[in-house]
Amino acid sequence: MILQLNPDENCTWTIEKPENKSIRIILSYVQLDPDGSCESESIKVFEGSSSNGPLLGQVCSKNNYVPVFESSSNTLTFQIVTDSARIQRTVFLFYYFFSPNTSIPNCGGYLDTLEGSFTSPNYPKPHPELAYCVWHIQVEKGYKIKLNFEDILLEIDKQCKFDFIAVYDGPSTNSGLIGQVCGYVTPTYESSSNSLTVVLSTDYANSYRGFSASYTSIYAENINTTSLTCSSDKMRVIISKLFLETFHSNENNLQLNDPTCRPKLSNVVEFSFPLNGCGTIKKVEDESITYTNIITFPASSASEVITRQKHLQIIVKCEMEHNSTVEIMYITEDDVIQNQIAVGKYNISMALFESDSFEKTILESPYYVDLNQTLFVQVSLHTSDPNLTVFLDTCRASPTSDFASPTYDIIKSGCSQDETCKVYPLFEHYGRFQFNAFKFLRSMASVYLQCKVLICDSSDHQSRCSQGCISRSKRDISSYKWKTDSIIGPIRLKRDQRASGNSGFQHETHAEETPNQPFNSLHLFSFMVLALNVVIVATITVRHFVNQRADYKYQKLQDY
């Protein structure tokens, strides 16, 4: 229905639905006071038979989308309020009932490839009536989406109130409308990110053939030659097509060590492959792990003797070191070498679990526990390389998230420092331990955990990970290359829960912990006398020690 609204209106409508049906309201054209605020002029939709029910949503002149409301309640109420401005106001609203368990074939879906196509239901035959189809397009990060409608034939209307296509710049219908079209047009749209949403909405009359659309991915960054990114589980290589044109070869012929791993083609050529696949070579040397692969054009035929074409070889190398992943790429082109270096990090996480089965993660934060309750901690390495293992080098606790003093060691150099701590054996990509809950005296009620871990090759039986608990004096790991850390918290005692919210810190003082004793001048004098005696004794001892060292370089202690 079309509503022509006057100033200072306050109108309310209630819609009742049949049993086993849902209601869908679509406001396909809204013209309100452009200078009005949402508080003074808006359309509100409520569940129930009055405006006192739960608010489903609000529409005003500043909304940048086509509002759609759905409800399974028996009744739905919408209210329109206008301000005193004397301007033209028009709202086109239509609603219908539908069965929530009935779906239209090919009506919407999820598209996640670098390129693809989709059509309206029944295309090129007439589209169904009362259809509301949503397509979500999402490509890999770093890409934008170019959407091209090759054919559209919908009911013609100047404001596209009846049948229309809406395109949103993002992952949902609230992302920002970049186009609403109908009739006979062939527009093209480009997203600002790696996601786009397309909606087809039709009413109960005048069905036409609908639309046909396709999309491609555009790499957003400007790549002159090549780009390499390394993560915990894969390499990603981007190669400029303009760069490849200088070799007069088809980009489809590029291949990795394993030629069955094919690139993705858009405005660039992309190879994305796991660290343990596609012929990637892993090398462990001097406490460093590297992954190397080679991108090249296939070799010429064995019968050929000469060539006048340049030979391209792109060697990609990921080196894991210094609490990060360092990417190195170099290109050999007629003995010309180009180097590119970037920096990434290991993907490490730490979490608390309910039991020693380490199956159910604890998600509450803060996590309230009983004093002396057993806590189960797991540090996880997220990688595609099955031959890496995680070793817990040091884990410590602190009452503050910045781990300023005081701190308490639970594990140090792989050795349990707390009497209740149990370190589990090495297990794939997980480092695990348990300990009993405690709190810091004369400090905050919260406890944070920080673990520093080492990442080793599981086949290297001489690695630090395989040595287990050793003192730092036996082997200093300060220069160890592949290490990282993770933090979780806060953990609090349950008796502190009443005095604490969901965030922040709470001080708790107990009389037995911090007795409030008088500190008078007599105490101060006694303390100063004691300190003076300590200084005198220390001075005499140091002088005696210096004199002894002047006469003797080494003196064996007497046996008693």
Side-chain angles (χ1 to χ4, degrees):
M1 59 182 177
I2 299 178
L3 303 174
Q4 301 292 343
L5 303 171
N6 298 316
D8 298 316
E9 293 268 28
N10 190 337
C11 306
T12 302
W13 293 265
T14 299
I15 305 171
E16 294 185 1
K17 73 172 183 65
E19 190 176 354
N20 299 324
K21 295 283 187 177
S22 292
I23 308 172
R24 180 178 287 135
I25 296 180
I26 300 176
L27 291 91
S28 56
Y29 181 72
V30 177
Q31 183 186 22
L32 296 176
D33 182 4
D35 299 321
S37 66
C38 291
E39 289 74 21
S40 62
E41 181 162 306
S42 67
I43 304 170
K44 294 182 179 179
V45 182
F46 303 88
E47 283 193 337
S49 57
S50 73
S51 58
N52 295 323
L55 179 66
L56 277 180
Q58 182 180 20
V59 181
C60 55
S61 63
K62 295 177 174 58
N63 288 107
N64 189 22
Y65 58 91
V66 179
V68 178
F69 300 97
E70 294 183 4
S71 175
S72 57
S73 299
N74 293 327
T75 55
L76 205 63
T77 299
F78 64 96
Q79 178 186 40
I80 301 180
V81 176
T82 62
D83 59 25
S84 58
R86 297 190 174 275
I87 61 169
Q88 180 179 348
R89 298 173 177 86
T90 304
V91 174
F92 183 81
L93 175 152
F94 72 95
Y95 68 90
Y96 54 88
F97 309 116
F98 66 98
S99 300
N101 298 323
T102 302
S103 61
I104 300 174
N106 301 318
C107 180
Y110 292 86
L111 306 170
D112 57 4
T113 56
L114 278 179
E115 59 182 17
S117 61
F118 57 103
T119 65
S120 56
N122 301 335
Y123 180 86
K125 296 180 180 180
H127 59 70
E129 299 175 350
L130 303 179
Y132 188 79
C133 311
V134 182
W135 288 267
H136 299 277
I137 308 173
Q138 183 162 332
V139 297
E140 292 189 24
K141 289 183 179 180
Y143 286 89
K144 296 189 296 184
I145 301 168
K146 186 175 182 179
L147 175 66
N148 180 43
F149 287 94
E150 290 100 1
D151 181 30
I152 294 179
L153 183 55
L154 298 173
E155 185 174 355
I156 298 175
D157 176 70
K158 185 177 181 180
Q159 284 86 31
C160 295
K161 299 186 294 292
F162 308 111
D163 302 331
F164 62 88
I165 296 169
V167 181
Y168 296 91
D169 188 14
S172 73
T173 55
N174 296 323
S175 301
L177 184 68
I178 58 176
Q180 182 178 350
V181 296
C182 59
Y184 184 71
V185 290
T186 55
T188 298
Y189 300 98
E190 187 173 303
S191 68
S192 61
S193 66
N194 65 324
S195 59
L196 202 65
T197 302
V198 181
V199 173
L200 170 66
S201 177
T202 66
D203 63 6
Y204 54 86
N206 300 325
S207 293
Y208 297 96
R209 65 172 176 260
F211 74 88
S212 173
S214 63
Y215 71 92
T216 57
S217 299
I218 302 172
Y219 194 70
E221 295 183 18
N222 185 19
I223 302 297
N224 294 324
T225 54
T226 56
S227 171
L228 169 66
T229 304
C230 297
S231 64
S232 288
D233 56 348
K234 67 180 181 180
M235 290 189 196
R236 186 185 187 193
V237 185
I238 306 293
I239 308 172
S240 167
K241 283 189 174 181
L242 293 176
F243 172 66
L244 292 176
E245 287 178 2
T246 62
F247 297 91
H248 307 289
S249 297
N250 190 337
E251 60 266 12
N252 286 297
N253 293 332
L254 280 176
Q255 65 182 33
L256 290 164
N257 286 342
D258 181 353
T260 62
C261 295
R262 305 305 303 149
K264 300 174 183 176
L265 302 179
S266 59
N267 61 320
V268 296
V269 179
E270 177 185 340
F271 285 94
S272 183
F273 51 96
L275 295 180
N276 64 327
C278 296
T280 303
I281 299 172
K282 177 181 175 182
K283 185 177 181 181
V284 181
E285 184 179 34
D286 296 331
E287 296 184 345
S288 176
I289 298 179
T290 58
Y291 300 90
T292 305
N293 210 314
I294 300 176
I295 302 172
T296 186
F297 289 113
S300 302
S301 172
S303 61
E304 295 182 7
V305 179
I306 67 170
T307 182
R308 289 186 173 90
Q309 292 184 344
K310 294 180 181 179
H311 177 67
L312 173 68
Q313 188 178 60
I314 304 174
I315 302 175
V316 290
K317 179 179 178 183
C318 291
E319 181 177 345
M320 318 297 263
E321 65 175 347
H322 299 303
N323 191 23
S324 65
T325 304
V326 178
E327 296 92 31
I328 301 174
M329 171 189 290
Y330 56 91
I331 303 170
T332 62
E333 175 193 336
D334 296 337
D335 298 326
V336 177
I337 299 178
Q338 301 179 12
N339 292 305
Q340 292 184 348
I341 299 176
V343 176
K345 284 187 176 295
Y346 281 115
N347 189 0
I348 290 282
S349 63
M350 182 161 61
L352 291 161
F353 286 77
E354 289 189 351
S355 68
D356 58 2
S357 65
F358 294 95
E359 294 178 351
K360 191 170 183 181
T361 309
I362 293 168
L363 301 177
E364 303 112 73
S365 181
Y367 177 42
Y368 290 94
V369 301
D370 292 315
L371 196 63
N372 214 36
Q373 175 182 331
T374 302
L375 305 180
F376 302 92
V377 186
Q378 175 175 284
V379 179
S380 304
L381 169 65
H382 307 280
T383 180
S384 60
D385 188 343
N387 296 318
L388 294 182
T389 189
V390 173
F391 175 73
L392 297 171
D393 178 64
T394 300
C395 292
R396 58 177 181 158
S398 173
T400 61
S401 58
D402 59 1
F403 285 82
S405 181
T407 61
Y408 176 72
D409 288 334
I410 300 174
I411 301 171
K412 188 173 182 180
S413 298
C415 305
S416 299
Q417 302 296 301
D418 180 88
E419 60 182 7
T420 68
C421 175
K422 172 188 174 183
V423 180
Y424 288 75
L426 297 180
F427 177 67
E428 297 179 352
H429 295 156
Y430 307 106
R432 295 168 171 172
F433 69 99
Q434 69 179 57
F435 69 100
N436 291 357
F438 59 86
K439 70 167 294 181
F440 284 87
L441 298 175
R442 293 178 293 277
S443 190
M444 300 177 180
S446 302
V447 175
Y448 291 82
L449 297 178
Q450 180 189 64
C451 284
K452 295 185 180 296
V453 303
L454 305 180
I455 302 167
C456 304
D457 186 272
S458 57
S459 62
D460 182 6
H461 301 296
Q462 302 299 319
S463 70
R464 174 66 187 89
C465 300
S466 300
Q467 296 175 23
C469 170
I470 61 173
S471 63
R472 192 173 293 271
S473 59
K474 292 183 179 179
R475 181 169 183 179
D476 186 6
I477 67 161
S478 60
S479 62
Y480 201 87
K481 287 191 174 181
W482 355 300
K483 55 180 182 288
T484 187
D485 62 273
S486 187
I487 298 173
I488 56 171
I491 303 167
R492 295 179 182 161
L493 295 180
K494 286 182 178 178
R495 63 181 180 180
D496 298 323
Q497 189 168 3
R498 293 189 300 270
S500 176
N502 287 333
S503 62
F505 300 109
Q506 297 289 333
H507 285 277
E508 183 177 2
T509 304
H510 299 279
E512 70 272 16
E513 295 174 356
T514 56
N516 186 16
Q517 296 179 351
F519 193 75
N520 53 32
S521 58
L522 180 59
H523 289 85
L524 180 60
F525 177 77
S526 300
F527 177 79
M528 292 178 64
V529 171
L530 177 60
L532 182 59
N533 289 333
V534 170
V535 171
I536 293 172
V537 172
T539 302
I540 295 172
T541 303
V542 169
R543 288 182 176 177
H544 176 73
F545 177 73
V546 172
N547 292 335
Q548 289 292 324
R549 292 197 63 179
D551 296 332
Y552 303 97
K553 292 185 178 179
Y554 173 78
Q555 180 178 2
K556 184 178 179 180
L557 294 177
Q558 295 180 0
D559 296 326
Y560 292 93

